[in-house]
Amino acid sequence: MTITNTAPANTAAISAAEVHEQAQSLFAASYTWVQTHWLQILIALAVASVIVAGLHFLRRLGHRLCNASPGPAGWGTVFGRAIVKTGNFFIIMVAAKLVAGYANAPPEVAKTIAFLFTVATVFQAAIWAREIILGSIEHRTGSQEYQGEAIGSAMGIIRILVTFALFAIALVVVLDNLGVNVTGLVAGLGVGGIAIGLAAQGIFGDLFAALAIIFDRPFRRGDAITYGTSSGTVEAIGLKSTRIRAATGEERIIANRKLLDKEILNNSQREYRRVQFKLGLVQWTPVEKMERLPTMLQEVIEGCGRTFVRAGFIGFGDSSYDFDVEFDSPTAAFDDFFQARHAVGLGIIKRLNAEGIELAYPTQTAFTAAPRGGMIAPYPDGPMFGENAQPVADDPTTTAELTPSADRSAVDQDAPS
């Protein structure tokens, strides 16, 4: 059996012929249009020239915004740089689109102008979006707190990622306007993006965490922070990690993603530091003195130049009556906090000593068992407790235990006959 190939062999020739025919049709329509509407075309060209000149003037204003901005990456520079990136092709197509209707352009010419205008607008919008996004990042990283950090050198990588994403979207939009089925292309880009994301999810996670730090600003370089069970001063915020100098001197390096997963306390944003003391008074302290204790503590704290917050009874300890006192250091600096704690602590001790108030410490009383089950007091002249206890001799050595002979005699008396 013979298989006949029914596919057209002259597909390329037919396509070329169609293109040639459309080109001839466009040329003929344009020639006829110029002959019949030459006056409208001249007026349209004059108006288009004015529009082009006006758009070029706006582009020069972008240069002025860049020069007049108060910083290397101010908002004036960001938007000025975006305006400067306006292309000549986009300017010409805007002018042509605006005057095409007045000049009564034929359908073939109008359709061509509309297509070229769409292409120019889509790619120009991608360029503007890229400049504004990158300018926003530079505006954040360009502040004094972020100067000289590794995130500044990462702008090349960020520029590549942003450019690729925006121009890929622009290409898909243009192809869709051409009538091309972009479903397969979008699916391929999606699968490729997922594969790349899974392969480098750690790197991208730290990169986006670095951008989150830059934009959200939970801390800056030089801030003293506490994260988890660690603390230190931020020295650098990099593309992948943040370097923190601990109070003990070592440099700690933690991934940006892991750092943001923790609760972060920014100590540099405090207006003050609160100091808290817990005082345990001995349980034979008179109630009258305990009632006056909050006033005493307030006088001591204010006498040291600190801000008194509160003081009062908080509970019963195992061997003490517990009081709590809180006060604030004048600033958030750790040195001021340390000196305030030192000065107020010594002042409290002096005042308690002057008032005859004692601080409790853990105590425990031990009793010695007598041979017959009673208890012997732990002091030299104390009595013996229990119905079978024997008097204790005056000799201090007998307070802890009886002599061996006494022990045997006591045991013999109780032994059954």
Side-chain angles (χ1 to χ4, degrees):
M1 182 177 64
T2 304
I3 300 177
T4 303
N5 187 4
T6 59
N10 57 344
T11 303
I14 293 175
S15 299
E18 290 179 351
V19 171
H20 181 68
E21 182 181 353
Q22 291 179 1
Q24 284 185 338
S25 175
L26 176 62
F27 178 77
S30 301
Y31 182 77
T32 303
W33 173 51
V34 171
Q35 284 184 331
T36 57
H37 298 82
W38 59 270
L39 181 59
Q40 291 92 333
I41 293 174
L42 290 177
I43 296 174
L45 289 176
V47 174
S49 299
V50 174
I51 295 174
V52 170
L55 293 177
H56 276 89
F57 176 75
L58 292 178
R59 190 166 64 179
R60 285 194 294 271
L61 289 180
H63 288 285
R64 295 183 181 180
L65 283 176
C66 293
N67 297 329
S69 182
W75 287 114
T77 303
V78 173
F79 290 103
R81 191 186 310 171
I83 295 174
V84 169
K85 290 294 183 178
T86 303
N88 292 324
F89 179 67
F90 172 74
I91 294 176
I92 294 173
M93 293 315 303
V94 168
K97 180 67 174 176
L98 291 177
V99 301
Y102 173 79
N104 293 323
E108 294 85 353
V109 176
K111 186 177 180 180
T112 302
I113 292 175
F115 169 71
L116 294 177
F117 173 76
T118 301
V119 173
T121 303
V122 170
F123 282 100
Q124 185 61 58
I127 293 173
W128 283 338
R130 180 189 63 183
E131 295 302 322
I132 292 175
I133 292 173
L134 296 176
S136 300
I137 298 175
E138 291 179 359
H139 175 72
R140 292 287 184 174
T141 59
S143 60
Q144 187 174 1
E145 294 85 359
Y146 293 96
Q147 288 178 357
E149 296 184 2
I151 191 63
S153 62
M155 288 304 299
I157 299 176
I158 298 174
R159 178 179 290 274
I160 292 174
L161 295 176
V162 172
T163 302
F164 175 79
L166 292 176
F167 278 87
I169 296 173
L171 178 62
V172 171
V173 172
V174 170
L175 292 178
D176 184 63
N177 278 273
L178 285 174
V180 178
N181 187 3
V182 297
T183 304
L185 177 60
V186 172
L189 291 175
V191 173
I194 293 174
I196 295 174
L198 291 176
Q201 57 181 341
I203 297 175
F204 284 121
D206 291 328
L207 172 61
F208 291 132
L211 295 178
I213 293 173
I214 295 299
F215 281 100
D216 192 48
R217 293 188 177 184
F219 54 84
R220 304 177 182 182
R221 185 179 58 168
D223 285 354
I225 64 172
T226 300
Y227 57 99
T229 58
S230 303
S231 61
T233 302
V234 178
E235 288 193 341
I237 303 172
L239 178 65
K240 180 173 174 52
S241 61
T242 297
R243 287 167 170 78
I244 301 173
R245 181 71 61 179
T248 51
E250 70 273 9
E251 184 182 60
R252 295 176 179 172
I253 303 173
I254 181 171
N256 293 325
R257 176 169 47 87
K258 294 183 178 180
L259 180 60
L260 291 185
D261 287 340
K262 300 178 181 294
E263 180 184 13
I264 300 174
L265 303 179
N266 194 331
N267 298 317
S268 298
Q269 298 301 320
R270 290 181 174 183
E271 296 180 357
Y272 57 86
R273 288 179 183 257
R274 181 153 296 180
V275 187
Q276 183 177 11
F277 285 145
K278 180 180 178 181
L279 305 177
L281 307 184
V282 293
Q283 293 181 342
W284 54 84
T285 304
V287 177
E288 294 78 10
K289 291 186 177 181
M290 288 191 290
E291 290 177 345
R292 293 190 295 109
L293 183 61
T295 304
M296 299 179 195
L297 297 174
Q298 181 177 0
E299 293 174 355
V300 172
I301 293 170
E302 293 178 351
C304 294
R306 273 48 178 192
T307 304
F308 174 80
V309 178
R310 64 179 64 88
F313 179 80
I314 59 172
F316 298 91
D318 293 336
S319 57
S320 62
Y321 295 140
D322 295 334
F323 282 75
D324 180 78
V325 56
E326 298 179 12
F327 61 95
D328 296 334
S329 61
T331 66
F334 181 79
D335 290 340
D336 292 337
F337 162 79
F338 189 88
Q339 294 299 328
R341 184 175 57 183
H342 172 75
V344 174
L346 293 182
I348 291 175
I349 294 174
K350 293 177 181 178
R351 184 62 181 269
L352 294 181
N353 291 338
E355 296 289 340
I357 300 175
E358 301 180 41
L359 295 177
Y361 51 87
T363 58
Q364 184 176 6
T365 303
F367 293 90
T368 304
R372 301 192 181 187
M375 304 302 295
I376 302 175
Y379 36 86
D381 55 349
M384 297 174 62
F385 303 96
E387 59 180 1
N388 297 325
Q390 300 294 328
V392 180
D394 293 336
D395 186 0
T397 58
T398 62
T399 60
E401 61 179 356
L402 298 176
T403 60
S405 60
D407 289 343
R408 282 194 298 271
S409 62
V411 173
D412 292 340
Q413 291 176 3
D414 292 339
S417 55

